Amino acid sequence: MITHPTAAELGQAVAAFDAEAASPGDARHVFLSRVADNARAILAREAAHGARLEAEATERLVGLLGETDDVETLNARLCDALEAGRLAPLDARVLAHLRETAIAQIAIDQPQYGGLAALLDAGDRA
Amino acid sequence: MDVVTALNLLAPRLSPAATGARNARRLSGGASLETWAFDLSDGTPLILRRRPDGALPRETALPLASEAALIRAAAASGAPTPGVAHICEPEDHLGEAYVMLRLEGETLGRRIVRDDAFATVRPGLARRCGHVLAQIHATPTDGLPPLATSDARGELARYEGVYRELAARRPILEAAFRWLGAAAPPPPERPVLVHGDFRNGNLMIHPDHGLVGVLDWELAHLGDPAEDLGWICVNSWRFGEWRKPVGGFGDYDELLAGYGGDIALDRVRFWQALGSLKWAVMCLMMYQSFATGADRSIERAMIGRRTSEAEIDLVTLMEQAA
């Protein structure tokens, strides 16, 4: 369920980068090496936690929508319900799910991102 | 004719004391625009901003001659800008381009919000940003080059259209579109000149003199003054200093005090949230160019994963609004 890109696409991009020849002192290659390292770290976190986070998301979606299906279908139904106005964006149960979803995704994509601390901080002024 | 040769021939027209150009070097790797630094033989430090041969402008980006005209107009109303030295003509053999003075300072947000070198200018920076935005917004709009006009509803519709085309299913973005659609303020009574990308990265900050130049006017348009005030408060440009909403260096009240006038904080925070939503859609767009094969670089793939940074910021803002 973690997309844009999926782990498989990210893995392909890392492999393609690793296969590229670098000329010495190429500043762009140095920059992209750091990006590739970050990508490998994301893939490692996703391999370790992705399945559990997806199971938790499925459970929340079942509770929120009152129906059972695979996570992708349930996620699409939640999007449809929000788009059509059947669920309100600031509804407490919706927000509770979105909060957990955001925390789970950032834990894989960018655990150091300041927005996580901001969300968890009750006195946040952001 | 290559850029270095063309600059050498142009040099005497830029300064009577100059016989040529030296140290010409390309700075950024931007695909849509090239930036070159060079010096005249009399020592004057300059920047060339140029559209590469054959490159098409981004859909919403201004022609470079319009950009240069806007910089001159904003400078006339007092805003700090890199002075425009020359707008290139066909006989300059540089294509669509202009030359401006090279300012001394730093644009990297991470350094500006953290490095000791900027410790003395940081406390006054949010107020200064407010003041500079007021100067930009006070630029008379008569006589400006043709500019698009936009407002909150128009921007929301435009970005929702892009999001639908991408066919991404992201519940946080769905919720944010509905929330902001219901909260959108009416268009301003009088649209002003909006910079359109006023944030860390486009602000030249000198360690002693603070904000010395507003760069990159490519996305300027007419619209809601709160758009510029909200954009610099988007968490993605705070570089970890999330407790300081204005660019990672200041508070809302300082920004508004520097601005003067009567812009409500609610209106700024609306545009801040819309800014996060726009950034989320931009990240998806950049990922899309990886997915379709237009740009298979790891950089393009990875920026898609920054969508979740905008999403967590949107959840925080929605919780505060609930």
mmCIF file of all heavy atoms in Angstrom, chain A residues 75-116:
data_model
loop_
_atom_site.group_PDB
_atom_site.id
_atom_site.type_symbol
_atom_site.label_atom_id
_atom_site.label_comp_id
_atom_site.label_asym_id
_atom_site.label_seq_id
_atom_site.Cartn_x
_atom_site.Cartn_y
_atom_site.Cartn_z
ATOM 1 N N ASN A 75 -8.836 1.387 0.898
ATOM 2 C CA ASN A 75 -8.250 2.722 0.798
ATOM 3 C C ASN A 75 -8.940 3.539 -0.305
ATOM 4 O O ASN A 75 -9.263 4.710 -0.114
ATOM 5 C CB ASN A 75 -6.754 2.588 0.499
ATOM 6 C CG ASN A 75 -6.015 3.905 0.648
ATOM 7 O OD1 ASN A 75 -5.954 4.448 1.740
ATOM 8 N ND2 ASN A 75 -5.487 4.419 -0.447
ATOM 9 N N ALA A 76 -9.197 2.892 -1.438
ATOM 10 C CA ALA A 76 -9.876 3.571 -2.549
ATOM 11 C C ALA A 76 -11.304 3.952 -2.125
ATOM 12 O O ALA A 76 -11.795 5.029 -2.480
ATOM 13 C CB ALA A 76 -9.906 2.671 -3.778
ATOM 14 N N ARG A 77 -11.955 3.095 -1.353
ATOM 15 C CA ARG A 77 -13.328 3.415 -0.899
ATOM 16 C C ARG A 77 -13.325 4.609 0.045
ATOM 17 O O ARG A 77 -14.236 5.436 0.006
ATOM 18 C CB ARG A 77 -13.946 2.194 -0.202
ATOM 19 C CG ARG A 77 -14.375 1.155 -1.209
ATOM 20 C CD ARG A 77 -15.447 0.220 -0.655
ATOM 21 N NE ARG A 77 -15.588 -0.879 -1.598
ATOM 22 C CZ ARG A 77 -15.440 -2.160 -1.299
ATOM 23 N NH1 ARG A 77 -15.241 -2.530 -0.042
ATOM 24 N NH2 ARG A 77 -15.550 -3.077 -2.224
ATOM 25 N N LEU A 78 -12.306 4.676 0.902
ATOM 26 C CA LEU A 78 -12.212 5.831 1.791
ATOM 27 C C LEU A 78 -12.020 7.109 0.964
ATOM 28 O O LEU A 78 -12.670 8.132 1.229
ATOM 29 C CB LEU A 78 -11.052 5.652 2.784
ATOM 30 C CG LEU A 78 -10.730 6.871 3.657
ATOM 31 C CD1 LEU A 78 -11.945 7.312 4.478
ATOM 32 C CD2 LEU A 78 -9.552 6.556 4.584
ATOM 33 N N CYS A 79 -11.171 7.037 -0.047
ATOM 34 C CA CYS A 79 -10.971 8.203 -0.923
ATOM 35 C C CYS A 79 -12.283 8.602 -1.590
ATOM 36 O O CYS A 79 -12.639 9.785 -1.630
ATOM 37 C CB CYS A 79 -9.911 7.899 -1.982
ATOM 38 S SG CYS A 79 -8.244 7.828 -1.320
ATOM 39 N N ASP A 80 -13.011 7.610 -2.118
ATOM 40 C CA ASP A 80 -14.301 7.891 -2.761
ATOM 41 C C ASP A 80 -15.270 8.549 -1.779
ATOM 42 O O ASP A 80 -15.974 9.497 -2.127
ATOM 43 C CB ASP A 80 -14.932 6.590 -3.295
ATOM 44 C CG ASP A 80 -14.150 6.026 -4.482
ATOM 45 O OD1 ASP A 80 -13.370 6.787 -5.095
ATOM 46 O OD2 ASP A 80 -14.304 4.829 -4.778
ATOM 47 N N ALA A 81 -15.323 8.013 -0.558
ATOM 48 C CA ALA A 81 -16.262 8.545 0.441
ATOM 49 C C ALA A 81 -15.916 9.983 0.809
ATOM 50 O O ALA A 81 -16.802 10.821 0.991
ATOM 51 C CB ALA A 81 -16.256 7.653 1.685
ATOM 52 N N LEU A 82 -14.623 10.286 0.901
ATOM 53 C CA LEU A 82 -14.209 11.662 1.206
ATOM 54 C C LEU A 82 -14.519 12.581 0.030
ATOM 55 O O LEU A 82 -15.054 13.677 0.203
ATOM 56 C CB LEU A 82 -12.702 11.697 1.521
ATOM 57 C CG LEU A 82 -12.315 11.147 2.893
ATOM 58 C CD1 LEU A 82 -10.814 10.833 2.945
ATOM 59 C CD2 LEU A 82 -12.678 12.134 4.008
ATOM 60 N N GLU A 83 -14.230 12.114 -1.190
ATOM 61 C CA GLU A 83 -14.463 12.941 -2.378
ATOM 62 C C GLU A 83 -15.950 13.240 -2.535
ATOM 63 O O GLU A 83 -16.345 14.363 -2.863
ATOM 64 C CB GLU A 83 -13.920 12.235 -3.632
ATOM 65 C CG GLU A 83 -13.971 13.125 -4.864
ATOM 66 C CD GLU A 83 -13.668 12.392 -6.162
ATOM 67 O OE1 GLU A 83 -13.261 11.200 -6.118
ATOM 68 O OE2 GLU A 83 -13.865 13.004 -7.226
ATOM 69 N N ALA A 84 -16.790 12.230 -2.267
ATOM 70 C CA ALA A 84 -18.234 12.397 -2.458
ATOM 71 C C ALA A 84 -18.904 13.086 -1.275
ATOM 72 O O ALA A 84 -20.089 13.387 -1.323
ATOM 73 C CB ALA A 84 -18.871 11.031 -2.700
ATOM 74 N N GLY A 85 -18.140 13.305 -0.201
ATOM 75 C CA GLY A 85 -18.719 13.974 0.953
ATOM 76 C C GLY A 85 -19.494 13.051 1.889
ATOM 77 O O GLY A 85 -20.179 13.525 2.793
ATOM 78 N N ARG A 86 -19.401 11.722 1.680
ATOM 79 C CA ARG A 86 -20.075 10.801 2.602
ATOM 80 C C ARG A 86 -19.351 10.743 3.944
ATOM 81 O O ARG A 86 -19.938 10.403 4.959
ATOM 82 C CB ARG A 86 -20.168 9.387 1.986
ATOM 83 C CG ARG A 86 -21.093 9.300 0.779
ATOM 84 C CD ARG A 86 -21.373 7.858 0.380
ATOM 85 N NE ARG A 86 -20.175 7.121 0.028
ATOM 86 C CZ ARG A 86 -19.598 7.156 -1.187
ATOM 87 N NH1 ARG A 86 -20.116 7.896 -2.159
ATOM 88 N NH2 ARG A 86 -18.505 6.469 -1.438
ATOM 89 N N LEU A 87 -18.073 11.035 3.926
ATOM 90 C CA LEU A 87 -17.321 11.185 5.170
ATOM 91 C C LEU A 87 -16.734 12.599 5.184
ATOM 92 O O LEU A 87 -16.235 13.084 4.163
ATOM 93 C CB LEU A 87 -16.184 10.155 5.258
ATOM 94 C CG LEU A 87 -16.560 8.717 5.643
ATOM 95 C CD1 LEU A 87 -15.340 7.811 5.524
ATOM 96 C CD2 LEU A 87 -17.136 8.655 7.054
ATOM 97 N N ALA A 88 -16.788 13.255 6.355
ATOM 98 C CA ALA A 88 -16.297 14.633 6.449
ATOM 99 C C ALA A 88 -14.815 14.639 6.793
ATOM 100 O O ALA A 88 -14.363 13.814 7.583
ATOM 101 C CB ALA A 88 -17.091 15.391 7.508
ATOM 102 N N PRO A 89 -14.061 15.577 6.190
ATOM 103 C CA PRO A 89 -12.607 15.572 6.406
ATOM 104 C C PRO A 89 -12.209 15.753 7.875
ATOM 105 O O PRO A 89 -11.205 15.195 8.298
ATOM 106 C CB PRO A 89 -12.106 16.740 5.542
ATOM 107 C CG PRO A 89 -13.309 17.554 5.212
ATOM 108 C CD PRO A 89 -14.470 16.621 5.233
ATOM 109 N N LEU A 90 -12.991 16.540 8.627
ATOM 110 C CA LEU A 90 -12.608 16.807 10.013
ATOM 111 C C LEU A 90 -13.362 15.920 11.002
ATOM 112 O O LEU A 90 -13.277 16.141 12.220
ATOM 113 C CB LEU A 90 -12.815 18.296 10.349
ATOM 114 C CG LEU A 90 -12.054 19.299 9.470
ATOM 115 C CD1 LEU A 90 -12.179 20.723 10.018
ATOM 116 C CD2 LEU A 90 -10.572 18.947 9.306
ATOM 117 N N ASP A 91 -14.095 14.922 10.520
ATOM 118 C CA ASP A 91 -14.739 13.939 11.382
ATOM 119 C C ASP A 91 -13.675 13.289 12.268
ATOM 120 O O ASP A 91 -12.609 12.899 11.798
ATOM 121 C CB ASP A 91 -15.407 12.892 10.482
ATOM 122 C CG ASP A 91 -16.022 11.744 11.262
ATOM 123 O OD1 ASP A 91 -15.263 10.858 11.731
ATOM 124 O OD2 ASP A 91 -17.250 11.740 11.398
ATOM 125 N N ALA A 92 -13.977 13.159 13.558
ATOM 126 C CA ALA A 92 -12.965 12.687 14.512
ATOM 127 C C ALA A 92 -12.444 11.290 14.161
ATOM 128 O O ALA A 92 -11.240 11.026 14.280
ATOM 129 C CB ALA A 92 -13.536 12.701 15.925
ATOM 130 N N ARG A 93 -13.327 10.401 13.696
ATOM 131 C CA ARG A 93 -12.880 9.037 13.381
ATOM 132 C C ARG A 93 -12.023 9.019 12.115
ATOM 133 O O ARG A 93 -11.048 8.285 12.022
ATOM 134 C CB ARG A 93 -14.097 8.118 13.212
ATOM 135 C CG ARG A 93 -14.867 7.903 14.526
ATOM 136 C CD ARG A 93 -16.124 7.091 14.296
ATOM 137 N NE ARG A 93 -15.813 5.736 13.842
ATOM 138 C CZ ARG A 93 -16.326 5.171 12.743
ATOM 139 N NH1 ARG A 93 -17.153 5.860 11.968
ATOM 140 N NH2 ARG A 93 -16.009 3.949 12.407
ATOM 141 N N VAL A 94 -12.402 9.859 11.153
ATOM 142 C CA VAL A 94 -11.589 9.985 9.931
ATOM 143 C C VAL A 94 -10.201 10.515 10.290
ATOM 144 O O VAL A 94 -9.171 9.947 9.904
ATOM 145 C CB VAL A 94 -12.270 10.917 8.910
ATOM 146 C CG1 VAL A 94 -11.326 11.243 7.752
ATOM 147 C CG2 VAL A 94 -13.559 10.288 8.391
ATOM 148 N N LEU A 95 -10.192 11.609 11.076
ATOM 149 C CA LEU A 95 -8.907 12.224 11.426
ATOM 150 C C LEU A 95 -8.016 11.268 12.207
ATOM 151 O O LEU A 95 -6.799 11.255 12.031
ATOM 152 C CB LEU A 95 -9.146 13.504 12.230
ATOM 153 C CG LEU A 95 -9.228 14.794 11.424
ATOM 154 C CD1 LEU A 95 -9.386 15.994 12.363
ATOM 155 C CD2 LEU A 95 -7.984 14.987 10.562
ATOM 156 N N ALA A 96 -8.640 10.464 13.084
ATOM 157 C CA ALA A 96 -7.842 9.506 13.866
ATOM 158 C C ALA A 96 -7.132 8.523 12.932
ATOM 159 O O ALA A 96 -5.950 8.202 13.126
ATOM 160 C CB ALA A 96 -8.734 8.764 14.863
ATOM 161 N N HIS A 97 -7.853 8.066 11.905
ATOM 162 C CA HIS A 97 -7.233 7.154 10.936
ATOM 163 C C HIS A 97 -6.139 7.861 10.122
ATOM 164 O O HIS A 97 -5.053 7.312 9.919
ATOM 165 C CB HIS A 97 -8.295 6.574 9.988
ATOM 166 C CG HIS A 97 -7.694 5.872 8.806
ATOM 167 N ND1 HIS A 97 -6.980 4.694 8.916
ATOM 168 C CD2 HIS A 97 -7.654 6.208 7.479
ATOM 169 C CE1 HIS A 97 -6.547 4.325 7.710
ATOM 170 N NE2 HIS A 97 -6.940 5.222 6.825
ATOM 171 N N LEU A 98 -6.429 9.082 9.675
ATOM 172 C CA LEU A 98 -5.443 9.810 8.868
ATOM 173 C C LEU A 98 -4.178 10.080 9.680
ATOM 174 O O LEU A 98 -3.063 10.002 9.158
ATOM 175 C CB LEU A 98 -6.038 11.132 8.355
ATOM 176 C CG LEU A 98 -7.258 11.010 7.431
ATOM 177 C CD1 LEU A 98 -7.669 12.399 6.923
ATOM 178 C CD2 LEU A 98 -7.002 10.077 6.251
ATOM 179 N N ARG A 99 -4.365 10.374 10.963
ATOM 180 C CA ARG A 99 -3.221 10.619 11.847
ATOM 181 C C ARG A 99 -2.316 9.391 11.916
ATOM 182 O O ARG A 99 -1.099 9.484 11.711
ATOM 183 C CB ARG A 99 -3.738 10.987 13.235
ATOM 184 C CG ARG A 99 -2.651 11.223 14.265
ATOM 185 C CD ARG A 99 -3.266 11.343 15.672
ATOM 186 N NE ARG A 99 -2.233 11.520 16.668
ATOM 187 C CZ ARG A 99 -1.818 12.699 17.120
ATOM 188 N NH1 ARG A 99 -2.345 13.801 16.663
ATOM 189 N NH2 ARG A 99 -0.865 12.759 18.021
ATOM 190 N N GLU A 100 -2.926 8.225 12.175
ATOM 191 C CA GLU A 100 -2.131 6.993 12.278
ATOM 192 C C GLU A 100 -1.474 6.656 10.940
ATOM 193 O O GLU A 100 -0.333 6.184 10.894
ATOM 194 C CB GLU A 100 -3.001 5.822 12.753
ATOM 195 C CG GLU A 100 -3.510 5.958 14.185
ATOM 196 C CD GLU A 100 -2.405 6.288 15.186
ATOM 197 O OE1 GLU A 100 -1.344 5.623 15.158
ATOM 198 O OE2 GLU A 100 -2.584 7.253 15.967
ATOM 199 N N THR A 101 -2.188 6.909 9.855
ATOM 200 C CA THR A 101 -1.645 6.644 8.521
ATOM 201 C C THR A 101 -0.424 7.518 8.248
ATOM 202 O O THR A 101 0.605 7.042 7.747
ATOM 203 C CB THR A 101 -2.725 6.924 7.441
ATOM 204 O OG1 THR A 101 -3.877 6.132 7.744
ATOM 205 C CG2 THR A 101 -2.226 6.579 6.044
ATOM 206 N N ALA A 102 -0.547 8.793 8.601
ATOM 207 C CA ALA A 102 0.567 9.729 8.364
ATOM 208 C C ALA A 102 1.785 9.337 9.200
ATOM 209 O O ALA A 102 2.923 9.371 8.717
ATOM 210 C CB ALA A 102 0.124 11.159 8.697
ATOM 211 N N ILE A 103 1.542 8.950 10.443
ATOM 212 C CA ILE A 103 2.653 8.568 11.325
ATOM 213 C C ILE A 103 3.344 7.312 10.787
ATOM 214 O O ILE A 103 4.578 7.227 10.760
ATOM 215 C CB ILE A 103 2.142 8.357 12.773
ATOM 216 C CG1 ILE A 103 1.722 9.707 13.377
ATOM 217 C CG2 ILE A 103 3.198 7.668 13.635
ATOM 218 C CD1 ILE A 103 1.011 9.607 14.717
ATOM 219 N N ALA A 104 2.544 6.339 10.332
ATOM 220 C CA ALA A 104 3.112 5.093 9.809
ATOM 221 C C ALA A 104 3.954 5.365 8.557
ATOM 222 O O ALA A 104 5.065 4.834 8.404
ATOM 223 C CB ALA A 104 1.989 4.105 9.492
ATOM 224 N N GLN A 105 3.416 6.197 7.668
ATOM 225 C CA GLN A 105 4.129 6.452 6.410
ATOM 226 C C GLN A 105 5.420 7.237 6.636
ATOM 227 O O GLN A 105 6.457 6.928 6.044
ATOM 228 C CB GLN A 105 3.205 7.221 5.460
ATOM 229 C CG GLN A 105 3.815 7.532 4.112
ATOM 230 C CD GLN A 105 3.531 6.478 3.058
ATOM 231 O OE1 GLN A 105 2.421 5.952 2.990
ATOM 232 N NE2 GLN A 105 4.535 6.170 2.252
ATOM 233 N N ILE A 106 5.379 8.234 7.521
ATOM 234 C CA ILE A 106 6.585 9.036 7.733
ATOM 235 C C ILE A 106 7.645 8.200 8.456
ATOM 236 O O ILE A 106 8.849 8.416 8.269
ATOM 237 C CB ILE A 106 6.264 10.358 8.500
ATOM 238 C CG1 ILE A 106 7.237 11.482 8.081
ATOM 239 C CG2 ILE A 106 6.340 10.187 10.001
ATOM 240 C CD1 ILE A 106 6.949 12.143 6.793
ATOM 241 N N ALA A 107 7.214 7.227 9.272
ATOM 242 C CA ALA A 107 8.165 6.356 9.967
ATOM 243 C C ALA A 107 9.012 5.586 8.964
ATOM 244 O O ALA A 107 10.160 5.233 9.248
ATOM 245 C CB ALA A 107 7.423 5.380 10.878
ATOM 246 N N ILE A 108 8.457 5.333 7.782
ATOM 247 C CA ILE A 108 9.212 4.639 6.744
ATOM 248 C C ILE A 108 9.946 5.632 5.846
ATOM 249 O O ILE A 108 11.127 5.471 5.552
ATOM 250 C CB ILE A 108 8.258 3.749 5.919
ATOM 251 C CG1 ILE A 108 7.896 2.520 6.770
ATOM 252 C CG2 ILE A 108 8.886 3.337 4.597
ATOM 253 C CD1 ILE A 108 6.876 1.617 6.166
ATOM 254 N N ASP A 109 9.250 6.682 5.429
ATOM 255 C CA ASP A 109 9.827 7.592 4.430
ATOM 256 C C ASP A 109 10.876 8.544 5.004
ATOM 257 O O ASP A 109 11.882 8.821 4.356
ATOM 258 C CB ASP A 109 8.718 8.433 3.779
ATOM 259 C CG ASP A 109 7.814 7.600 2.887
ATOM 260 O OD1 ASP A 109 8.215 6.469 2.538
ATOM 261 O OD2 ASP A 109 6.705 8.068 2.551
ATOM 262 N N GLN A 110 10.615 9.114 6.176
ATOM 263 C CA GLN A 110 11.450 10.218 6.674
ATOM 264 C C GLN A 110 11.289 10.356 8.179
ATOM 265 O O GLN A 110 10.728 11.342 8.653
ATOM 266 C CB GLN A 110 10.929 11.525 6.041
ATOM 267 C CG GLN A 110 11.800 12.168 5.012
ATOM 268 C CD GLN A 110 11.354 13.597 4.721
ATOM 269 O OE1 GLN A 110 11.972 14.544 5.185
ATOM 270 N NE2 GLN A 110 10.291 13.783 3.968
ATOM 271 N N PRO A 111 11.791 9.381 8.961
ATOM 272 C CA PRO A 111 11.515 9.411 10.409
ATOM 273 C C PRO A 111 12.051 10.660 11.111
ATOM 274 O O PRO A 111 11.562 11.004 12.197
ATOM 275 C CB PRO A 111 12.197 8.148 10.941
ATOM 276 C CG PRO A 111 12.968 7.566 9.817
ATOM 277 C CD PRO A 111 12.526 8.183 8.549
ATOM 278 N N GLN A 112 13.020 11.358 10.500
ATOM 279 C CA GLN A 112 13.583 12.553 11.150
ATOM 280 C C GLN A 112 12.786 13.812 10.811
ATOM 281 O O GLN A 112 13.116 14.899 11.290
ATOM 282 C CB GLN A 112 15.042 12.762 10.709
ATOM 283 C CG GLN A 112 15.967 11.609 11.051
ATOM 284 C CD GLN A 112 15.929 11.264 12.524
ATOM 285 O OE1 GLN A 112 15.942 12.153 13.379
ATOM 286 N NE2 GLN A 112 15.833 9.983 12.833
ATOM 287 N N TYR A 113 11.757 13.693 9.964
ATOM 288 C CA TYR A 113 11.055 14.900 9.520
ATOM 289 C C TYR A 113 10.410 15.628 10.708
ATOM 290 O O TYR A 113 9.715 15.009 11.526
ATOM 291 C CB TYR A 113 9.999 14.543 8.460
ATOM 292 C CG TYR A 113 9.254 15.758 7.950
ATOM 293 C CD1 TYR A 113 9.947 16.804 7.352
ATOM 294 C CD2 TYR A 113 7.876 15.882 8.107
ATOM 295 C CE1 TYR A 113 9.287 17.938 6.918
ATOM 296 C CE2 TYR A 113 7.202 17.010 7.666
ATOM 297 C CZ TYR A 113 7.915 18.035 7.072
ATOM 298 O OH TYR A 113 7.259 19.159 6.656
ATOM 299 N N GLY A 114 10.605 16.947 10.771
ATOM 300 C CA GLY A 114 10.109 17.749 11.885
ATOM 301 C C GLY A 114 8.595 17.723 12.022
ATOM 302 O O GLY A 114 8.059 17.977 13.102
ATOM 303 N N GLY A 115 7.896 17.411 10.940
ATOM 304 C CA GLY A 115 6.441 17.381 10.986
ATOM 305 C C GLY A 115 5.900 16.293 11.913
ATOM 306 O O GLY A 115 4.790 16.420 12.432
ATOM 307 N N LEU A 116 6.689 15.236 12.117
ATOM 308 C CA LEU A 116 6.256 14.180 13.034
ATOM 309 C C LEU A 116 6.242 14.721 14.465
ATOM 310 O O LEU A 116 5.246 14.565 15.186
ATOM 311 C CB LEU A 116 7.188 12.963 12.924
ATOM 312 C CG LEU A 116 6.913 11.831 13.902
ATOM 313 C CD1 LEU A 116 5.504 11.269 13.742
ATOM 314 C CD2 LEU A 116 7.948 10.706 13.735
#
